[in-house]
Amino acid sequence: METEIVSILFGSFLILLLIGAPITVALGVSSLISFLYLGDNPIKFVQIAFTSVGSFPLMALPAFILAGALMEAAGISKRLINVAESLAGPFTGGISAATVMACLFFGAISGSGPATTAAVGMLMIPAMIDRGYERGYASAITASSGGLGIIIPPSIPMVIFGIAALGMAPPPEAVEKFGTFSSVSISKLFIAGFVPAFLIATSLLIMNYLLSKKRGYKGVAEGWSAKNIGCEMYRGFWSLMAPLVILGGIYSGFFTPTEAAIVAIFYTLVVGAFIYRELTWASLFQSLEATTWLTGRVLLILFTATVFGRLLVENQIPAIIAESMLSFTENLYVIWALIIFFLLFVGMFMETLATILILVPVMLPVAYSVGIDPIHFGVVMVCTLGIGFQTPPLGENLFIASGISNISIEQISIRALPFAAVNTIAIFVIAFFPELSLWLPRVFGY
Amino acid sequence: MFWKFLDNIESVICRVLLSGFVILLFVQIVSREAFGYSFSWIEELSVYMFVWFVYFGASYAAKMSAHNRVTFQFKFLPDHYIKYIEAFADLFWIFFNVCFLYLSYDFVFNKMNKFWKSQTLGIEMKYIYMVLPIAFALMTIRILQVNYRKLIKGENIADPDQIDLDEIKAATDAAKS
Amino acid sequence: KNFKIAVGDGAGGTQEALGKAFIAELEKNTDHTASLFLNGQLGSEQDTVNEAAIGTLDFSILAINNVTPFSPTVGTLTLPYMILSLEDAETLTQGPIGQELVENTLRDSGVRIIGWAYSGFRVLTNSKHPVKSVADLSDLVIRTPKNAIMIATYQSWGVNPTPMAWSETFAGLQTKVVDAQDNPYITNYAMKFDEVQSYITNLRYLFSIEPLIVSEAVFSGMSADDQAAVLAAGQAATTFSAQYLRDQESTIKATLQERGMEIVDPENNEEEFISLATEAVWPQFYESVGGIEKVNAALAAIGRDPVK
Ligand code: NA
Ligand code: NA
């Protein structure tokens, strides 16, 4: 019975994906077919449609998308990046290192990888080309560090992971074996991503230094200019405050993530309308509109992915997958490697948020049953899928970088390979040393 | 004018709902932090507005042809084949929506408990769930509309993810000159 | 057949205990068995009522306030201070009043209540200071679920509670976004609220009852023998649940005190709390629970004076 339903569910899902049906349709139709096959009444879909989406923490998603779009329109992002650019020093690969820093800064206000690449790339790719960097290299480092946008909080993929994982309690057998697991919350995920983001940024900086040395990219001739840095920091004061408002609010426990995003929206409106005076009605409308279709398309997937997940749970399939995986190996490191390579592979083809929604119900029980902490698992999952932004055939960051630099995606992705490699090494380090992710949340008392 | 409004109906509804719940939540935060007072109905109302926003937004995304598909397998096919394959795949979407439309209509009008009201607002849940049949009907129309435009009118509907890119190009060019 | 039982709470609570006791009895007397799906894996508690009503779910164990929206007369049991002891709760649910509510629920919503889990009073916990009087509440930010009766009760004490999702509550208490919350001892203990709260007040305004419901569509499809066995198993599980509560609550109280929590009783036998809540809240709900007569009938059943 179980194997039949698994082949029907996954089989029709894959066929529909291959003939180009939208992901949400592939999930919904394969679930519908399976319901009919099992003789269950699909009227369940209706309540799932409503309750899967109707949750308060989920409102963080449109709120962060809107906050990000408004910060762009208000000129906050631009000033943040200018500050990072002023930090480009006299050392080898200075300006490209500043690009990585800019992605880190920008990542602290944006929850999206492609948005980070677009905002940073728009200013930094031309700047790098001006200083004699090869176009392909300039695009590759931007596309690669754009993934930092979803690792450093706030992070839309982490919101989605939190939502998907919230309702999933560890199986009793796992609790018996490993003791109680810590609970999942979006705030906690946000804090957990902080150290790993710096680790990945460091790995990118090291690779950048090595490659720049080989390619002979010198630092800026005039060296560091304290005056310039001070000037940009002064001009960017209100922009630099934005990440403090968001992260400070969440970390101090003053706001829930949803509320932090709401506060960020109003902060941006005030700064954009009265201080920078760059926010227009037209751009405000445009931000609302972009938030609408982006949210609509992701959360329609949430609905169908929840139905899909419900089918799996009712037929106890995640438990079966976990069992067969454990009968293959019980070595935690081997299981981590399998998880990471599988996610890298899926991340090459699939949109990130959809991937999280589909895979969490299947993979989190496996993680629980080998004693992996759910927060740690979430961080590794999001970091790994972040690499997917820079790999073809579907690499959102690549598309954007290629659009800015007018270089083919193939050329950029070859240049991006070394960065993907060090990034992967960093992910293995993050996976093998849980404390990197779990230490900071504990310090904050979570 | 009227048709233009109608053609943009989801966008209008969604902008109102989105601004609405963002403002409501802000009022709640300010009131709680500044006056220590919480409105008991705000959370519920904003969540319901959010659900409506999501499903009209999904219909809007369908109108823009924005729902993500896996397309790398079509890489070596000419464009005019792809649109027919995708139209075929969309038949399954329409099938799903029609089924769901029937189910949600049946649930809301026949199967739903008649006493069921929302906890703090006291609104009958029937009215709140009404968004499902309405939005899925609208979405079905949008799928047909998009395919009509692509197949019969021969229009090229740009991927909205792509629009961002063109804007960026324009902006970078402007920055350079 | 292997029935599906949806359970709102996680492992280790009253709901799971009731479910396990029910399954054990069911297996003893029939060829059937059942599986528990904990933590709302089969949907929110309110969703499961609809699903059982339609017949797409067999059983569900859920908090009574999630049954009320579908069959308002059940609300009699959730009026503040209607129940003042576990014995009151047993008398009301298992006596003629309970039978009437079972019939009403069946008529209104197509689900049949076949057993009751008792979780005990929702005691107030907070991180600031001992609470003995209504006045002690004034400087506390109190979290409640978005439940009309609970909100109205706190308002009658001059407090505006903050509705907060259950999933955010622990973090909310920890980071002091909210100072206080109420839940039965078993829940407070299972959720480790003692790590973030220091004081407990033995309020009795709400006694948590968690009915076990069966889909009437599923029930009426069973043979007469199976129906009798299911009802008997529900009855046995109910009896088990009352004893379980007695055993658990005393152990948990002792453990929480060992861990440094201070447990106090409200002053003057809770009179101030009781009079404010009953006077302000009850009249608001007479109509929905079927009239003041129903309330008086319930009061008479537990030997209390009627209200006017
Ligand atoms: Na971010
Ligand atoms: Na990719």
Side-chain angles (χ1 to χ4, degrees), chain A residues 71-418:
Chain A
M71 286 185 183
E72 183 76 55
I76 286 186
S77 349
K78 196 174 66 193
R79 287 174 177 79
L80 264 186
I81 296 160
N82 287 341
V83 173
E85 193 184 357
S86 74
L87 294 173
F91 52 86
T92 308
I95 178 90
S96 44
T99 306
V100 180
M101 297 302 291
C103 286
L104 210 51
F105 280 16
F106 188 80
I109 57 165
S110 164
S112 143
T116 306
T117 313
V120 174
M122 219 163 94
L123 293 165
M124 297 305 275
I125 293 178
M128 282 188 274
I129 294 171
D130 280 350
R131 303 205 186 159
Y133 278 59
E134 187 213 13
R135 279 166 182 265
Y137 185 81
S139 312
I141 184 126
T142 315
S144 304
S145 36
L148 290 171
I150 64 166
I151 303 167
I152 193 133
S155 159
I156 290 169
M158 280 184 188
V159 171
I160 292 291
F161 178 89
I163 298 289
L166 261 180
M168 298 184 53
E173 306 83 55
V175 177
E176 211 167 277
K177 204 163 156 196
F178 301 101
T180 46
F181 288 81
S182 69
S183 60
V184 176
S185 80
I186 295 168
S187 311
K188 199 169 158 188
L189 278 164
F190 276 10
I191 300 175
F194 215 82
V195 175
F198 278 94
L199 190 71
I200 290 176
T202 311
S203 77
L204 294 174
L205 286 173
I206 292 172
M207 184 44 80
N208 170 59
Y209 178 79
L210 295 175
L211 289 174
S212 297
K213 201 163 180 181
K214 197 174 116 202
R215 288 167 169 268
Y217 296 149
K218 295 279 183 297
V220 281
E222 59 271 32
W224 262 312
S225 147
K227 187 170 159 256
N228 187 20
I229 295 176
C231 176
E232 288 297 346
M233 293 230 307
Y234 174 75
R235 281 201 287 181
F237 175 77
W238 296 105
S239 301
L240 288 168
M241 288 303 286
L244 281 183
V245 169
I246 296 178
L247 298 183
I250 297 175
Y251 287 10
S252 66
F254 222 55
F255 310 129
T256 63
T258 309
E259 291 175 342
I262 299 286
V263 171
I265 289 169
F266 283 87
Y267 177 83
T268 309
L269 288 176
V270 171
V271 172
F274 302 112
I275 301 178
Y276 292 162
R277 294 165 192 268
E278 288 181 25
L279 196 65
T280 59
W281 284 107
S283 58
L284 178 64
F285 276 142
Q286 221 169 28
S287 305
L288 290 173
E289 198 154 292
T291 309
T292 297
W293 64 262
L294 278 165
T295 310
R297 95 171 165 191
V298 173
L299 295 187
L300 192 64
I301 298 177
L302 175 65
F303 154 42
T304 49
T306 308
V307 179
F308 196 88
R310 182 70 62 81
L311 255 169
L312 295 178
V313 168
E314 284 187 10
N315 292 285
Q316 283 152 347
I317 292 165
I320 298 171
I321 295 177
E323 240 168 63
S324 61
M325 191 137 175
L326 292 181
S327 68
F328 172 69
T329 174
E330 291 216 26
N331 184 315
L332 187 61
Y333 298 103
V334 177
I335 288 178
W336 265 127
L338 289 173
I339 290 175
I340 291 171
F341 284 120
F342 179 70
L343 287 173
L344 281 176
F345 175 75
V346 175
M348 286 170 70
F349 307 101
M350 285 270 290
E351 199 270 335
T352 313
L353 301 181
T355 311
I356 295 175
L357 286 170
I358 297 166
L359 289 183
V360 167
V362 185
M363 296 181 79
L364 190 58
V366 177
Y368 275 133
S369 58
V370 289
I372 295 172
D373 181 277
I375 295 288
H376 181 211
F377 180 75
V379 169
V380 175
M381 184 175 206
V382 170
C383 291
T384 314
L385 293 174
I387 293 187
F389 286 132
Q390 65 194 66
T391 57
L394 176 64
E396 291 92 331
N397 291 359
L398 285 179
F399 296 149
I400 290 168
S402 138
I404 299 171
S405 63
N406 287 321
I407 291 278
S408 77
I409 288 178
E410 283 74 13
Q411 276 175 292
I412 301 176
S413 48
I414 290 172
R415 303 277 188 286
L417 273 179

